Amino acid sequence: CICLSPDEEKDPEFWRSQARSSLQSALDRQPNTNVAKNIVFFLGDGMGITTYTAARILKGQLQNQTGEETVMTMDTFPYVGLAKTYSVDFTIPDSAATATAYLCGVKTNMNIVGVSAAGRNTVCNTQSGNEVTSILKWAKDAGKSVGIVTTTRVQHATPAAAYAHSVSRSWYSDADLPDSAKTDGCTDIASQLIKNIDIDVIIGGGRKYMTPKGTQDPEYPWDYSSRGQRTDGRDLIKEWQSSKMAGKVANYVWDKTNFDAVDPETTDYLMALFEPGDLQFEEDREPSMEPSIVETTEKAIRILRKNPNGFFLLVEGGRIDQAHHDGRAYMALHETVAFDYAIEKALELTDEKETLTVVMADHSHPLTFNGFPFRGQSILGKSPLWATDLLPFTTLMYGNGPGHKIVNGKRPDIRNVTTDAKDYVQLSAAPLQSTTHSGEDVAVLARGPMAHLLQGVFEQNYVAHAMGYAACVVAQQPMAGGASSSLSCT
């Protein structure tokens, strides 16, 4: 439905008063120069500016507001920058190259995680000696607790860059490696998850990459595609459990009931894998079987914050991206709204004086927001304008993807189509099975210690260095002549 704008907005003083309040807040703002004891880093995969804006409107409309004036939790962050997302080899990047940039501080090539641009996609013998470490490792080496929360499989590109080194983001289990890569000494991402860094909290999906080939999945025992993938016979879940020191409480769970039973106050380590692959979309999630990103974020923080040295936590809203690849704006926006609620929960559980919270996207998608919709009109609805072919179109559309629906030279007539349904696929200009990424800069929002370092326009790899400096965990990297590359942060 079309909602009229509030009467108060017709009064000029409404806007003047609002602006004065914003101006005063800006004048009163003082940089927090404390050392960041904790870092909570939120990564909205594929959450470009259009997605961010459209999700803001949707969040308000879900609360029976017009939507445009809604204030997201992300909107309250005082410092905002723009990150340039290109990779070394492509103008428009993938999530592996971008994750290596903002987590490891080094730009690299497409499809590579935790390896510099000297590494070549799927060429194993270019990996050794070109590995780069992440801020998650820097934090662990500094004595902090570390964790990963994602709505994808924990071996996916974004979380993988935090702990793994691989010239292929797709080498999830050993079954995915070609024989030549195994001969040359490369290992799969899942095996690196339990070997490279002693990660305190691991939450997401990806059970099937952890167990021997043919192992029945506990939730879907009838589904062959959900069964274990490993050809080396290893059960990485059992190996992870047995590797923990005596006296440490290490819990592995795969369902909501056992997850809820985990006591953060007595738990040292948690591995929670809720699906064989990626988690369910928020709108498809069965609350009795799978926790929300709000719940997983809360559990992670409550476990990690017991460390007196602090913690680093990566939280990825990974299925924003996957919904966009499917051309399903409804799902992408609902994933983003859930992501924003997780940010709200994290702020409730931490102290801004000692916790740096950063929110950003890795890349964008070719989602357009167009057509002069009326104020308060559904963000998932149709433009009041009709095109020159005398057919309506939706407010949100894609530049390419599976929504290309030209038949006999004509677009489909959507006058009687419900475009705000969760399975609706928006029209796209060019036909592709999967929508690509797009290459515009992405927003970086920050609050807490040293958040003011994340202002302006900068390369995406700068983010890791700014966060590392804020927490005094910047890796000591050798420079030419033997000098240290780290700046003093004390």
Side-chain angles (χ1 to χ4, degrees), residues 75 77 102 155 162 215 291 341 355 361-362 372 377 394 431 457 470:
D75 295 341
F77 283 46
Y102 59 72
Q155 305 87 358
T215 302
Y341 280 120
T355 303
D362 50 354
F372 297 110
Q377 186 173 332
T394 52
V457 181

Side-chain angles (χ1 to χ4, degrees), residues 173-175 207-218 220-235:
S173 81
D174 68 312
R207 290 191 294 254
K208 66 182 179 181
Y209 306 112
M210 307 291 282
T211 55
K213 187 175 181 64
T215 302
Q216 286 188 346
D217 185 79
Y220 312 106
W222 62 87
D223 183 10
Y224 281 87
S225 66
S226 297
R227 294 187 174 182
Q229 301 279 307
R230 304 197 64 80
T231 59
D232 57 9
R234 295 174 65 187
D235 187 326

Side-chain angles (χ1 to χ4, degrees), residues 27-108:
L27 292 169
D28 292 342
R29 189 174 302 140
Q30 295 295 323
N32 177 345
T33 56
N34 296 336
V35 173
K37 176 182 177 182
N38 313 308
I39 298 176
V40 185
F41 180 61
F42 283 93
L43 191 283
D45 199 316
M47 189 185 71
I49 296 290
T50 305
T51 302
Y52 179 5
T53 305
R56 176 193 297 129
I57 295 172
L58 176 63
K59 185 176 183 181
Q61 292 180 344
L62 291 172
Q63 300 168 348
N64 296 317
Q65 302 169 358
T66 52
E68 294 84 355
E69 71 292 339
T70 302
V71 178
M72 297 266 274
T73 300
M74 288 183 269
D75 295 341
T76 66
F77 283 46
Y79 298 101
V80 182
L82 290 174
K84 296 186 270 186
T85 65
Y86 66 91
S87 63
V88 171
D89 54 347
F90 281 86
T91 305
I92 296 176
D94 77 325
S95 294
T98 53
T100 303
Y102 59 72
L103 290 174
C104 302
V106 174
K107 287 210 173 193
T108 191

Side-chain angles (χ1 to χ4, degrees), residues 113-411:
V113 292
V115 179
S116 75
R120 291 166 53 201
N121 182 25
T122 72
V123 183
C124 176
N125 64 15
T126 66
Q127 180 175 306
S128 181
N130 294 317
E131 298 90 346
V132 290
T133 58
S134 77
I135 187 171
L136 183 136
K137 177 171 171 51
W138 310 343
K140 189 68 180 185
D141 289 348
K144 297 182 184 297
S145 294
V146 296
I148 292 169
V149 171
T150 180
T151 55
T152 67
R153 66 203 80 176
V154 295
Q155 305 87 358
H156 211 254
T158 297
Y163 61 83
H165 311 287
S166 179
V167 288
S168 174
R169 59 175 288 180
S170 300
W171 290 350
Y172 301 125
S173 81
D174 68 312
D176 299 313
L177 271 73
D179 291 340
S180 60
K182 295 176 183 177
T183 301
D184 286 340
C186 284
T187 57
D188 63 279
I189 293 169
S191 66
Q192 294 185 55
L193 172 65
I194 67 167
K195 177 185 177 183
N196 290 358
I197 304 170
D198 188 25
I199 303 173
D200 302 273
V201 175
I202 301 166
I203 303 177
R207 290 191 294 254
K208 66 182 179 181
Y209 306 112
M210 307 291 282
T211 55
K213 187 175 181 64
T215 302
Q216 286 188 346
D217 185 79
E219 187 175 359
Y220 312 106
W222 62 87
D223 183 10
Y224 281 87
S225 66
S226 297
R227 294 187 174 182
Q229 301 279 307
R230 304 197 64 80
T231 59
D232 57 9
R234 295 174 65 187
D235 187 326
L236 300 183
I237 296 169
K238 290 181 178 177
E239 288 186 28
W240 175 83
Q241 289 175 305
S242 63
S243 70
K244 302 312 172 191
M245 292 174 53
K248 295 290 185 180
V249 177
N251 290 311
Y252 168 72
V253 300
W254 61 267
D255 64 348
K256 178 71 156 49
T257 300
N258 287 297
F259 176 77
D260 289 344
V262 171
D263 182 356
E265 298 306 313
T266 60
T267 298
D268 300 300
Y269 294 94
L270 173 63
M271 178 184 286
L273 304 179
F274 297 109
E275 289 287 340
D278 301 319
L279 301 193
Q280 300 293 325
F281 284 116
E282 176 62 21
E283 288 295 289
D284 289 339
R285 181 176 62 85
E286 174 50 62
S288 66
M289 287 299 296
E290 196 169 293
S292 68
I293 189 174
V294 175
E295 294 170 293
T296 54
T297 298
E298 177 173 6
K299 186 79 77 175
I301 291 175
R302 289 191 183 277
I303 293 172
L304 298 174
R305 70 181 183 182
K306 300 195 304 289
N307 187 336
N309 295 320
F311 66 86
F312 173 86
L313 175 63
L314 166 65
V315 181
E316 182 201 18
R319 302 221 67 190
I320 301 169
D321 167 83
Q322 292 174 344
H324 278 316
H325 280 303
D326 292 341
R328 298 167 70 188
Y330 177 105
M331 287 300 204
L333 299 192
H334 278 81
E335 290 293 306
T336 307
V337 171
F339 183 68
D340 193 61
Y341 280 120
I343 297 167
E344 180 182 9
K345 177 57 69 176
L347 295 182
E348 291 175 5
L349 295 169
T350 55
D351 182 352
E352 189 171 346
K353 294 186 180 68
E354 63 179 18
T355 303
L356 171 64
T357 305
V358 178
V359 180
M360 68 176 290
D362 50 354
H363 56 74
S364 186
H365 282 267
L367 179 70
T368 62
F369 184 2
N370 69 120
F372 297 110
F374 292 108
R375 175 74 179 277
Q377 186 173 332
S378 172
I379 188 63
L380 295 164
K382 302 158 194 167
S383 169
L385 294 181
W386 284 27
T388 54
D389 59 3
L390 302 181
L391 293 172
F393 57 92
T394 52
T395 298
L396 298 176
M397 301 168 68
Y398 288 93
N400 61 59
H404 186 82
K405 304 168 185 175
I406 305 299
V407 179
N408 296 325
K410 293 192 67 175
R411 294 189 299 118

Side-chain angles (χ1 to χ4, degrees), residues 415-463:
R415 279 178 293 182
N416 297 317
V417 175
T418 303
T419 60
D420 58 359
K422 70 177 184 178
D423 292 325
Y424 180 75
V425 176
Q426 267 73 17
L427 187 69
S428 64
L432 285 177
Q433 289 185 336
S434 176
T435 299
T436 68
H437 298 166
S438 60
E440 68 269 25
D441 297 351
V442 294
V444 181
L445 307 106
R447 63 191 301 164
M450 294 294 173
H452 58 283
L453 297 179
L454 292 166
Q455 297 182 94
V457 181
F458 40 78
E459 297 287 357
Q460 195 168 41
N461 66 294
Y462 167 74
V463 174

